[in-house]
Amino acid sequence: MVYLSGLLYNESQQVFRTVFKLKNRTVLHWFPGHMGKGVKDMQKKLKSVDCIVEVHDARIPFSGRNPESFQTVSGLRPHILVYNKRDLANEDLESVIINKHKENGFQNILFTNCKDQKCNGIKRLVPLVQKQILSSHRYNRSENRDYCLMVIGVPNVGKSSLINTLRNKNLLKKNAAHVGAVPGITRSVGEKIKISDDPLIYVLDTPGILSPKVPSVDVGMKLALCATIPDKEVGIELIADYLLFWLNKHSHFGYTDFLGIDNPSDNISEALSVFAMKNNFTMKVLDCEGKRVLKPNLNLAAVRFVDAFRRGIFGKFTLDIDEIHSPNIKSSHKPLIYKRVNVIK
């Protein structure tokens, strides 16, 4: 295996990028006005809050967190970190992630799947909240019989879904928080939502908050790939290119069957073109002579490619694998040798 000027040459005689370059990093800096207002509103509500539940995407446990923006919100309140969407992440890495956080003094960590009310993390959340509140100083709320939680996190990680799941499970009542597949559905701190009668618990849903400045291209592209930044802000073909880069870098070549290409590729345009033509994703355009010709619809192909990753079609991946420094993880890395994996579309 040889490295050549930012590229990786392996036994499959294929050359892959080892660094993802981006000409315009400003596309990753998405911080609309409602986010700044949301932080201020959250600070104002802190007096009525007993515990902070910070929700993030289990696929990006480190890149996805935004601790700087939440420092003034979490304050002295008990703090529970919830990694949602565990059904899409590599569950074998959960203990490593928990230990890494514990090394930094963070003890209360749960992994959840809001699609499954029988999920162990969902079952453990309310008892853990109650335990943390009872063992803490409630200040001006010491005489209140009810508990109040504030759910915080970056956009589109399942904060509202978590609230609805707890409400459905504990109260057998319908959804109260708005949910959607795109970031920015919740745009303000809402009214209290009851999620439990015994103990009596209310929750404040809050807008997702990103950092005004993304620390690196990789962090920003992982946020975009997990739909934390809207596709239209970054560009779906650029997100598809990063997905291709990450899969190649970590020897996950099952995408070849999905795209209908013979071998792994590092050229997103070529890969999407083959995929588009094989699936009749085409559009009519005028050529230089004014004639209408069929052209592969790369945008639609990119949408389908990225969507397949987001639905777990290629497997359960934790994108922050490089940020997890563990001898066990390092020894489990496979060499970059092409292996075909059957993938169901």
Side-chain angles (χ1 to χ4, degrees):
M1 191 178 298
V2 181
Y3 290 89
L4 299 172
S5 183
L7 301 174
L8 191 147
Y9 183 75
N10 71 12
E11 294 181 23
S12 68
Q13 303 299 310
Q14 179 63 277
V15 177
F16 297 128
R17 293 165 289 177
T18 58
V19 178
F20 190 82
K21 297 180 180 179
L22 193 61
K23 294 181 180 179
N24 180 16
R25 289 181 57 173
T26 60
V27 298
L28 301 175
H29 299 158
W30 183 61
F31 193 79
H34 76 268
M35 289 189 182
K37 182 178 182 298
V39 173
K40 294 178 181 178
D41 290 343
M42 290 154 66
Q43 292 169 345
K44 293 177 183 177
K45 297 278 188 177
L46 273 180
K47 289 183 179 180
S48 63
V49 172
D50 298 300
C51 181
I52 301 294
V53 177
E54 183 182 345
V55 184
H56 292 291
D57 192 318
R59 294 170 295 180
I60 43 175
F62 303 112
S63 297
R65 288 197 69 208
N66 181 19
E68 294 81 8
S69 294
F70 295 130
Q71 281 179 350
T72 57
V73 175
S74 56
L76 301 175
R77 303 296 189 272
H79 195 157
I80 298 171
L81 179 58
V82 174
Y83 282 122
N84 193 35
K85 303 186 181 182
R86 71 177 302 215
D87 54 310
L88 298 174
N90 184 348
E91 295 180 11
D92 293 338
L93 299 179
E94 290 181 0
S95 60
V96 181
I97 295 167
I98 289 173
N99 290 335
K100 190 174 181 67
H101 280 302
K102 286 185 174 180
E103 290 174 2
N104 297 320
F106 212 111
Q107 301 296 322
N108 303 309
I109 304 156
L110 296 175
F111 286 80
T112 63
N113 171 15
C114 287
K115 299 175 184 177
D116 180 12
Q117 291 190 4
K118 296 181 181 180
C119 168
N120 189 48
I122 296 292
K123 292 179 180 179
R124 292 174 56 198
L125 183 54
V126 168
L128 181 58
V129 164
Q130 187 176 22
K131 178 182 177 182
Q132 294 304 309
I133 293 176
L134 290 175
S135 61
S136 67
H137 196 304
R138 297 185 70 195
Y139 301 101
N140 59 303
R141 289 185 50 80
S142 58
E143 297 181 359
N144 290 64
R145 188 174 68 90
D146 65 292
Y147 301 148
C148 183
L149 314 181
M150 181 180 285
V151 178
I152 65 175
V154 298
N156 204 30
V157 292
K159 297 185 298 297
S160 298
S161 295
L162 179 64
I163 293 172
N164 289 331
T165 299
L166 292 170
R167 180 177 169 84
N168 296 338
K169 174 179 172 56
N170 298 318
L171 300 177
L172 301 178
K173 292 189 176 181
K174 63 181 181 179
N175 295 351
H178 296 293
V179 298
V182 294
I185 294 295
T186 304
R187 302 180 67 86
S188 62
V189 180
E191 298 299 319
K192 289 183 178 180
I193 300 171
K194 184 194 286 190
I195 63 165
S196 174
D197 276 325
D198 185 21
L200 182 57
I201 301 178
Y202 293 91
V203 173
L204 288 173
D205 194 10
T206 65
I209 308 294
L210 286 171
S211 173
K213 278 194 174 183
V214 176
S216 71
V217 169
D218 271 307
V219 168
M221 292 308 302
K222 288 175 187 176
L223 290 170
L225 184 53
C226 291
T228 296
I229 302 174
D231 293 346
K232 64 180 181 180
E233 299 293 330
V234 180
I236 192 64
E237 291 180 42
L238 183 60
I239 297 172
D241 190 24
Y242 184 80
L243 172 58
L244 184 68
F245 160 79
W246 191 93
L247 291 171
N248 285 334
K249 183 180 179 182
H250 296 92
S251 301
H252 299 299
F253 300 120
Y255 69 84
T256 55
D257 289 315
F258 180 84
L259 295 179
I261 57 180
D262 295 329
N263 294 293
S265 172
D266 206 31
N267 187 316
I268 189 61
S269 295
E270 290 181 1
L272 291 180
S273 294
V274 173
F275 179 49
M277 296 306 293
K278 287 192 174 184
N279 288 275
N280 200 28
F281 301 154
T282 59
M283 54 186 179
K284 290 184 177 181
V285 298
L286 294 177
D287 64 11
C288 57
E289 297 179 355
K291 297 180 180 178
R292 290 189 177 275
V293 295
L294 283 180
K295 179 181 178 182
N297 189 334
L298 299 187
N299 186 269
L300 178 56
V303 168
R304 296 294 178 88
F305 182 41
V306 173
D307 179 66
F309 163 79
R310 290 172 178 169
R311 291 188 289 119
I313 296 298
F314 304 131
K316 297 182 177 184
F317 299 138
T318 298
L319 297 178
D320 280 345
I321 184 70
D322 294 331
E323 285 73 26
I324 302 175
H325 300 294
S326 166
N328 294 330
I329 299 302
K330 289 179 181 178
S331 64
S332 69
H333 276 326
K334 299 176 182 178
L336 284 178
I337 300 175
Y338 170 60
K339 292 193 297 183
R340 180 170 290 280
V341 179
N342 291 327
V343 177
I344 301 174
K345 294 185 182 180

